[in-house]
Amino acid sequence: MKAVELSRTYDPKDFEDRIYKAWKEKGEFGPSASDKEHFSVVMPPPNVTGILHMGHALNNSLQDIIVRYHRMLGQPTLWVPGTDHAGIATQNVVERQLQKEGLRRQDLGREKFLERTWQVKEKHHDIIKGQLEKMGCSCDWDHERFTMDEGLSRAVREAFVTLYERGLIYKGKYLVNYCPKCGTALADDEVEYENVPGKLYDVRYPYADGSGYITVATTRPETMFGDTAVAVNPDDERYKDIVGKELLLPLTDRRIPIISDRFVAMDFGTGMVKITPAHDPNDFECGKRHGLEAINLLNPDGTLNENVPEKYRGMMAEEARKLVVEDLEKGGYLVKVTDHAHDVGHCYRCHTTVEPYLSEQWFVSMRSLADKALAAWRNGDIEFFPKRWENTYTHWMENIRDWCISRQLWWGHRIPVWYCKDCGKMIVSRTDPDECPECHGHHLEQESDVLDTWFSSWLWPFSTLGWPDKTPDLERFFPTNTLVSAYDIIFFWISRMIMASEEFLGKAPFHDIVITGLVRDIKGRKMSKSLGNGIDPLEVIDRYGADAMKFTLCYLAAQGQDVMIDMDSFRLGSRFANKIWNATRYLLMNLEGRNLVEIDRSRLTIMDRWIYSAFNRAARTIEDAMKGYHFNEAAQAIYSFFWNDFCDWYVEASKPRLLNGTDEEKDLQASILMDVLERSMRLMHPFLSFLTEEIYQKLPNHHGDVIAAPYPVFDGLLEDNEAEAMASLLQESARVVRAARSNLQIGPEKKLKVVIRMEEGEKAAFLRSEASLLASFMGASSVIIDTSASEDVSGAFPAAAVGFEAFVFVRDAIDVDAEMARLENELKKAEALLEASEKKLSNENFLSHAKAEAVEKERGKKAEAEERIAKAREHMALLRSF
RNA sequence: GGAGGAUUAGCUCAGCGGGAGAGCGCUUGCCUUACAAGCAAGAUGUCACAAGUUCAAUCCUUGUAUCCUCCA
């Protein structure tokens, strides 16, 4: 066999793109035809506006790992990719572009504007797809979907009309959150509250009968023109007698009543609040209870309308506030102004202050949907990882509020409702009607509002599979298995998908919900454009490779914890990839002249058996870790197996046999190395996909592509406790001698004689059989296993370990003081352990209550500590005689 | 005002009731014919604080402190 040459350095650019293309061309990402149980995942669709950031990289890396893992387990696996039209966000992007050209969307008109938005969508879509490919995501591009493509639009209509038919959608005049800048209503969740400094104004409202005045406190005096009452708490003794009296609203000629309502907090301000139903959610509810009029003061653009005195009309709220305060002061109504920080809602897209705004909107009645979603959780149909998110989920579901789904935007799914201009009939329809069913008129006009973006994304797990049609995909891959998402969209998206799926298909859309942390910078700040602290995944890939990025993120992603990283963090994965590359390079170049042979287990040495056992242990750890989505544990198992076990010990141990053995020995050794390497590539593939594929193709013993190869699972036959115990003895003895050499500053060029004194037995026999290997690990000229204490060790340097003692024959260059200090430290540690053990063992309660194994283990520890103490003392005495 | 998370080595973090761990950084020695992005050896901790449960607590319970999220 010829040696296989690998380039001198690991350079992922050499092969990542090529391999991705090959996988794609071979159709490796599509589901196999196997009749095993399916495994499916839908990708949380990124907003088609943006480019992918580190959070996406984390999220998709984890999904890719899960998907590749299950694919290799032989399940027909489907990972559905796609993008979200992101209503407000995308419309904002296009409007900002227009703004630069001095245009507004109204200047273009709806149709032209949408045309332009589609172009932006196409451009960003290509970028996003390119990024996912660069990352190596093994999603099935043949199944790619977009929330506004034809099939999904049909699903949206089906969902809307079905809910309407079930009486769960209604239209009405309500107070909604309104962003004046975006010019649209927002759902409750789309408002972000921020504590900002403000003022609290105490204002006098005189009694209408001239008998004095009362004082109310408000943060928004400009809304007083919408006041239709002042309220006090019915239990408030102070104001018992004034309820029912009338007040004169300052700066106007209106009279308003004093009412009593439980929602008024007695201890806030004066205990009296003005009621402005059209501009405060609490007041709105209160107004409804008391039949008060709601006076809307705002135009859609946020300016004050004709319901305020003329001088304030056309002003924005903040502008008007100043003037109103001035006027109140002039009129003698202003009592005092105090600083008062309070929470103000902001639009989650453009950060403009959100106004409560009275308008006609469409709503979904959520109670019954939420109850089904809660039942799904109670029945165990969904499970969160980590579990604690279930509290968040149930809390939200239990306190659900109706969902405002209409948006005054152009980019999105237009609400499938038409109005007949002739007779006023409202038509809700799955298909575009051309005639009024009532008057048969043809003057129909479609509702101009579009639906909230989440109204399409909440259908994602089944609309992408063909729903409302009963497609084979839907049949085969729904419900999906695992959803991976960050915690910031549990409410927006995850909860609603569960509700939609339960409502329309009667099943939960997925079983496992994996909630990842957020990616933060090294200072713990959220990565954001405005802070400029983001790390571009493409830059990471450019510098370190896609595998290094994926492995690093996986290694750092402890379940549900935020991940803090900077550019340098990715060196972790990069170094590991480099290590794998170089180990492979070494092994492949030693194939020259070798023949791979059948590996006969009876011919394996203990070290051979050990590496198989260690491999097997890693496989089991990964299996357990993947079951519970402990990605970091899986990554760590891989890392320590390949680097610490395989490279540091096994490959080193194989060198003598591989380089100096007989041809037969060399062939067997090379075969074992190739076998373990081949298995390792399969084991590591989900975590380091490109690298393992590139290497796999070069292995003489590979079969097909690693992406489609079977995943190594725990194999009882490979488990070998005896070999593990023996190997750790060998490692320990090598370590002890190396440490002694290092402490004594003996350079590696000096080959010294070593005597290991221990009891006769299997262990001694093993070490004796591996004496030459031990010698190479220890840098010894010879290693003698002395079980009869017959070797003369006078003048040799002693090094202690549990179960044996090593004597290193060295006379020169010994730093006695330093070694003495080390021994004293060792003595102290051992004495502390002994003390702890003795304390436990002299405790009657421990002996009677603890498990028998625990007591036995403790006795072992005590004996061990005693041995260490004795050795340390002995060696200190020896050292003194040097 | 509720809910949740965090507090472990200089830094970033694992650790899920029985002798404190990893990576990076640091110290020392090595270009040992795969890797100096490497090898070997090493130092470093009142596991935030206080009570409690337990034979046994970094781990469970309850408080306290600091920091961070989310919800109202």
Side-chain angles (χ1 to χ4, degrees), chain A residues 368-382:
Chain A
S368 67
L369 291 163
D371 287 340
K372 288 179 191 173
L374 275 170
W377 170 72
R378 268 194 297 270
N379 298 338
D381 295 339
I382 52 172

Side-chain angles (χ1 to χ4, degrees), chain A residues 626-672:
Chain A
M626 290 301 286
K627 259 184 211 140
Y629 302 98
H630 294 282
F631 298 98
N632 58 331
E633 286 173 20
Q636 279 162 26
I638 280 174
Y639 189 96
S640 75
F641 166 73
F642 195 84
W643 200 318
N644 303 128
D645 293 339
F646 186 61
C647 292
D648 290 349
W649 288 102
Y650 188 73
V651 173
E652 290 305 319
S654 75
K655 279 180 179 173
R657 198 160 41 142
L658 188 66
L659 302 174
N660 307 318
T662 63
D663 271 349
E664 199 184 347
E665 281 170 343
K666 285 181 181 178
D667 283 350
L668 178 62
Q669 184 61 74
S671 303
I672 296 168

Side-chain angles (χ1 to χ4, degrees), chain A residues 522-770:
Chain A
I522 211 76
K523 290 178 184 156
R525 297 174 305 181
K526 212 165 161 174
M527 287 191 178
S528 73
K529 261 187 216 158
S530 53
L531 279 172
N533 60 346
I535 300 175
D536 180 1
L538 287 185
E539 205 183 319
V540 177
I541 293 170
D542 187 57
R543 212 186 291 189
Y544 298 113
D547 287 333
M549 181 169 80
K550 180 160 72 170
F551 186 82
T552 303
L553 289 172
C554 177
Y555 191 94
L556 297 177
Q559 196 184 65
Q561 286 307 121
D562 289 349
V563 181
M564 296 202 210
I565 44 160
D566 60 10
M567 196 38 113
D568 281 348
S569 307
F570 295 98
R571 284 163 59 196
L572 167 68
S574 174
R575 283 183 182 177
F576 185 45
N578 185 59
K579 184 74 185 178
I580 297 169
W581 183 264
N582 275 296
T584 306
R585 192 165 88 92
Y586 164 75
L587 295 176
L588 291 183
M589 73 197 200
N590 279 297
L591 286 179
E592 183 69 38
R594 298 275 64 78
N595 293 306
L596 293 193
V597 296
E598 193 76 14
I599 296 161
D600 178 359
R601 268 195 78 79
S602 66
R603 288 180 64 203
L604 297 185
T605 65
I606 289 199
M607 289 306 278
D608 297 334
R609 281 159 49 198
W610 164 72
I611 195 63
Y612 278 111
S613 191
F615 175 87
N616 198 43
R617 195 155 29 80
R620 181 170 54 192
T621 303
I622 291 165
E623 204 173 322
D624 292 343
M626 290 301 286
K627 259 184 211 140
Y629 302 98
H630 294 282
F631 298 98
N632 58 331
E633 286 173 20
Q636 279 162 26
I638 280 174
Y639 189 96
S640 75
F641 166 73
F642 195 84
W643 200 318
N644 303 128
D645 293 339
F646 186 61
C647 292
D648 290 349
W649 288 102
Y650 188 73
V651 173
E652 290 305 319
S654 75
K655 279 180 179 173
R657 198 160 41 142
L658 188 66
L659 302 174
N660 307 318
T662 63
D663 271 349
E664 199 184 347
E665 281 170 343
K666 285 181 181 178
D667 283 350
L668 178 62
Q669 184 61 74
S671 303
I672 296 168
L673 286 165
M674 279 305 117
D675 187 42
V676 176
L677 189 61
E678 189 269 345
R679 289 169 189 253
S680 300
M681 289 309 122
R682 286 190 279 128
L683 191 74
M684 297 192 287
H685 177 260
F687 305 86
L688 293 138
S689 306
F690 290 120
L691 170 65
T692 49
E693 188 69 89
E694 173 70 2
I695 289 174
Y696 198 72
Q697 297 303 322
K698 298 194 189 283
L699 300 183
N701 53 338
H702 84 273
H703 303 284
D705 296 343
V706 73
I707 186 176
Y711 199 76
V713 291
F714 177 75
D715 176 357
L717 290 174
L718 297 180
E719 192 174 34
D720 195 331
N721 293 326
E722 190 202 0
E724 297 223 19
M726 292 296 178
S728 76
L729 172 69
L730 183 141
Q731 291 170 353
E732 187 56 25
S733 61
R735 253 194 288 268
V736 163
V737 174
R738 282 169 174 175
R741 293 179 63 119
S742 181
N743 289 333
L744 301 173
Q745 314 262 335
I746 301 166
E749 72 288 353
K750 290 185 184 146
K751 306 293 179 206
L752 307 168
K753 176 180 163 187
V754 174
V755 168
I756 292 179
R757 194 176 271 183
M758 63 192 298
E759 275 178 31
E760 186 55 61
E762 272 181 24
K763 289 180 176 175
F766 164 64
L767 289 186
R768 202 172 283 125
S769 71
E770 295 289 2

Side-chain angles (χ1 to χ4, degrees), chain A residues 406-449:
Chain A
S406 47
R407 294 290 180 278
Q408 291 69 51
L409 302 172
W410 287 351
W411 177 242
H413 302 275
R414 222 159 146 176
I415 293 178
V417 168
W418 288 261
Y419 304 99
C420 175
K421 282 182 167 175
D422 299 329
C423 70
K425 165 100 183 156
M426 184 175 92
I427 305 148
V428 179
S429 170
R430 287 174 175 80
T431 52
D432 291 10
D434 47 14
E435 184 184 274
C436 173
E438 195 79 11
C439 69
H440 303 287
H442 292 274
H443 300 102
L444 301 180
E445 189 172 22
Q446 188 172 3
E447 167 69 59
S448 64
D449 286 359

Side-chain angles (χ1 to χ4, degrees), chain A residues 193-201 218-221 318 321 337-346 351 353:
Chain A
Y193 290 90
E194 198 180 313
N195 199 267
V196 297
K199 306 258 188 238
L200 190 65
Y201 303 89
T218 177
T219 56
R220 303 200 53 193
E318 281 174 37
R321 186 176 310 156
V337 182
T338 44
D339 288 329
H340 177 72
H342 61 296
D343 292 329
V344 175
H346 294 87
H351 213 68
T353 302

Side-chain angles (χ1 to χ4, degrees), chain A residues 205 216-217 223-232 249 254 256-261 263-264 272-280 282-290 292-295:
Chain A
Y205 282 19
V216 295
T223 63
M224 61 180 286
F225 303 116
D227 289 1
T228 46
V230 164
V232 298
L249 191 61
R254 276 179 37 223
I256 56 173
I258 297 178
I259 59 169
S260 71
D261 195 286
F263 100 95
V264 180
M272 297 182 138
V273 293
K274 63 195 209 58
I275 302 296
T276 322
H279 293 279
D280 181 279
N282 289 321
D283 293 3
F284 183 73
E285 292 302 319
C286 176
K288 273 210 292 195
R289 284 193 290 272
H290 297 272
L292 299 173
E293 192 191 350
I295 304 172

Side-chain angles (χ1 to χ4, degrees), chain A residues 391-403:
Chain A
N391 288 333
T392 309
Y393 173 79
T394 54
H395 184 261
W396 188 74
M397 285 293 182
E398 278 158 10
N399 297 285
I400 195 87
R401 288 187 288 177
D402 283 357
W403 177 18

